[in-house]
Amino acid sequence: MDLEHTAKLETARSLQSTLEKTRLHIVEYREQFDSQQSSSESEVAQLLEGRPGLTDPAIVAVHVASQVAFLRKLKIQYLEQKAKDQYIKTIVSDDAPNINGEDNERLRVANDEKKSVLKLAKSRLAEKHDDLRKLAPLVEQDYNKAKALTSEASTLASKILDARLQLTRLRQAHPHPRLTIQSANAQLDSQVMEMQKLDDELQGLNEKVDEIKEKVKEGAREVERLRIERSDVEKLAKTAREEVEDNRVIGLYDWQVAPLFTASLALHRSLHSLESYRSASENELHLTYGIRPTSQNNRETRRIQIVLLFVPNTRQLADAQVEGLSQDVGDLVGAHVQANDVPGLIAAVLARAREGY
């Protein structure tokens, strides 16, 4: 391929050099015509319009026709004046010339020969004019075509040089071994198989996600049911505590509430990345979360530890301590403690942790 491109490039260069060296004489003839036109008489300059070399042919034809008519009249007047002069000289001359019929015949033959020669020259001149009218557009087309081909060959030569330079740079940037068509096809087949495998895995993961979502929905419904049962049990326990003061009622209350708390805590652990939890005392709960921030700069898992303190023997939140955040969240903790909103406090702290605070 390189040899073929080199041969074509050399051919284009040789054609360009040949065109540059060849003298077509078109420009020289045009300059000569312009010089003759500029050196013409004043009447010609008045008739002709436009710049040199761009004269309208119709104006030139009108000018030529007027000049031909004028010259014909001038010729007739010249012949008349010459004939009159000769006639007067012949009459007033002492020795009258001997003019006979042979002289007239000889003059007539000479005039006929001159007329035939003039007619032949006029016909040749007309043929030349016709040839010029016919060949001038063709020569101009060939000249324009050769000029266009020359510029195109020059452009192609520069493009070929640029392509060779770019190819050289690519070869330097990508040394051997390079990918061949067979190796590229093999790599493509392996990538297609890998993509198919990944698609299958993605489909399996989507199915697992759907199953987990269904389980989460079932767990949420179960938690809601247990929450309703818990509220009913709390009402019964409160009524029983007011009516009968018996310590067994508190045990019964704990026996009913414990499953609800366990189920809620398991769901919360699965949804909010809860790693561990422990009850330090009857009114103190320690929760540890593993949160991964959503920012692109830092994706490491952070440990957030929340300590919840309740009023003894009640569900009233007394205080909360948060560790693992870079900023102070005292105002956030105070607002949620005052509102006794434990889920809201945990959700707000985890949102701050995911944002990278």
Side-chain angles (χ1 to χ4, degrees):
M1 295 296 292
D2 293 338
L3 295 175
E4 184 178 357
H5 289 307
T6 304
K8 291 182 179 180
L9 181 60
E10 294 297 332
T11 304
R13 288 178 177 175
S14 62
L15 177 61
Q16 182 179 2
S17 62
T18 303
L19 289 174
E20 291 177 354
K21 294 178 181 179
T22 303
R23 297 177 61 87
L24 299 178
H25 302 288
I26 297 177
V27 179
E28 296 179 359
Y29 290 159
R30 180 175 177 176
E31 292 177 354
Q32 292 178 5
F33 179 75
D34 294 339
S35 62
Q36 292 294 332
Q37 207 173 25
S38 61
S39 62
S40 60
E41 298 178 357
S42 59
E43 294 181 358
V44 178
Q46 292 178 0
L47 290 174
L48 297 178
E49 296 179 358
R51 293 177 298 174
L54 300 177
T55 306
D56 190 359
I59 297 176
V60 176
V62 172
H63 173 67
V64 170
S66 62
Q67 292 293 326
V68 168
F70 175 74
L71 290 176
R72 286 178 179 176
K73 290 181 180 180
L74 185 62
K75 180 181 178 181
I76 293 173
Q77 292 178 1
Y78 171 76
L79 293 176
E80 289 179 353
Q81 293 295 331
K82 185 178 180 181
K84 288 181 180 180
D85 185 57
Q86 289 181 356
Y87 180 73
I88 292 172
K89 287 181 179 180
T90 303
I91 293 175
V92 300
S93 175
D94 295 336
D95 297 330
N98 187 13
I99 300 173
N100 51 21
E102 293 180 357
D103 296 332
N104 293 330
E105 185 65 22
R106 187 168 55 255
L107 291 175
R108 186 184 65 77
V109 171
N111 288 333
D112 292 338
E113 291 178 356
K114 291 180 180 179
K115 287 182 179 180
S116 62
V117 172
L118 179 61
K119 186 176 181 180
L120 182 60
K122 286 183 178 180
S123 63
R124 290 179 180 177
L125 182 61
E127 290 178 358
K128 291 293 182 181
H129 282 296
D130 293 335
D131 294 338
L132 287 175
R133 291 191 185 95
K134 293 179 182 178
L135 296 177
L138 299 178
V139 173
E140 185 178 4
Q141 291 179 1
D142 294 339
Y143 176 76
N144 294 331
K145 187 183 294 183
K147 188 176 180 181
L149 291 175
T150 304
S151 61
E152 185 179 359
S154 179
T155 305
L156 291 176
S158 62
K159 289 183 178 179
I160 290 172
L161 293 176
D162 294 338
R164 286 186 174 180
L165 181 59
Q166 186 176 4
L167 183 61
T168 304
R169 291 175 179 174
L170 289 174
R171 287 177 178 175
Q172 292 178 356
H174 303 282
H176 289 284
R178 301 187 184 91
L179 283 177
T180 60
I181 298 177
Q182 292 79 10
S183 59
N185 290 329
Q187 186 175 359
L188 178 61
D189 295 337
S190 63
Q191 290 178 354
V192 170
M193 294 176 63
E194 185 176 359
M195 289 176 64
Q196 185 66 32
K197 184 178 179 181
L198 292 175
D199 289 336
D200 297 338
E201 292 180 359
L202 179 61
Q203 187 176 1
L205 291 175
N206 290 331
E207 293 177 356
K208 290 182 181 179
V209 169
D210 294 336
E211 294 177 359
I212 292 173
K213 287 182 179 179
E214 292 295 332
K215 291 181 180 179
V216 169
K217 291 180 181 179
E218 292 178 359
R221 288 194 292 268
E222 184 67 19
V223 169
E224 187 65 25
R225 185 182 65 79
L226 293 175
R227 186 177 295 173
I228 295 172
E229 291 181 0
R230 177 180 178 179
S231 61
D232 296 337
V233 172
E234 285 179 353
K235 292 178 181 179
L236 293 175
K238 186 176 181 181
T239 303
R241 182 178 295 178
E242 291 176 355
E243 293 178 354
V244 180
E245 297 209 358
D246 190 354
N247 294 329
R248 291 178 297 175
V249 176
I250 298 175
L252 180 62
Y253 173 78
D254 294 336
W255 176 76
Q256 292 288 340
V257 173
L260 176 63
F261 175 75
T262 304
S264 299
L265 195 58
L267 180 61
H268 181 81
R269 183 174 184 178
S270 62
L271 293 178
H272 297 283
S273 303
L274 179 63
E275 292 185 350
S276 64
Y277 62 92
R278 65 185 181 87
S279 179
S281 62
E282 294 180 355
N283 62 335
E284 184 177 351
L285 182 62
H286 292 252
L287 302 176
T288 303
Y289 294 89
I291 302 300
R292 180 173 294 180
T294 57
S295 63
Q296 298 295 332
N297 296 328
N298 188 5
R299 302 282 294 178
E300 296 180 358
T301 303
R302 301 175 60 179
R303 298 293 185 273
I304 307 299
Q305 189 173 12
I306 303 175
V307 179
L308 302 176
L309 299 175
F310 296 90
V311 178
N313 298 326
T314 62
R315 297 181 60 195
Q316 181 66 34
L317 182 62
D319 193 9
Q321 298 177 2
V322 180
E323 297 179 359
L325 294 178
S326 59
Q327 294 183 358
D328 187 13
V329 291
D331 297 337
L332 182 66
V333 172
H336 286 85
V337 169
Q338 186 177 0
N340 194 24
D341 187 6
V342 177
L345 173 62
I346 295 174
V349 172
L350 295 181
R352 292 286 183 90
R354 289 189 180 92
E355 291 176 359
Y357 291 100

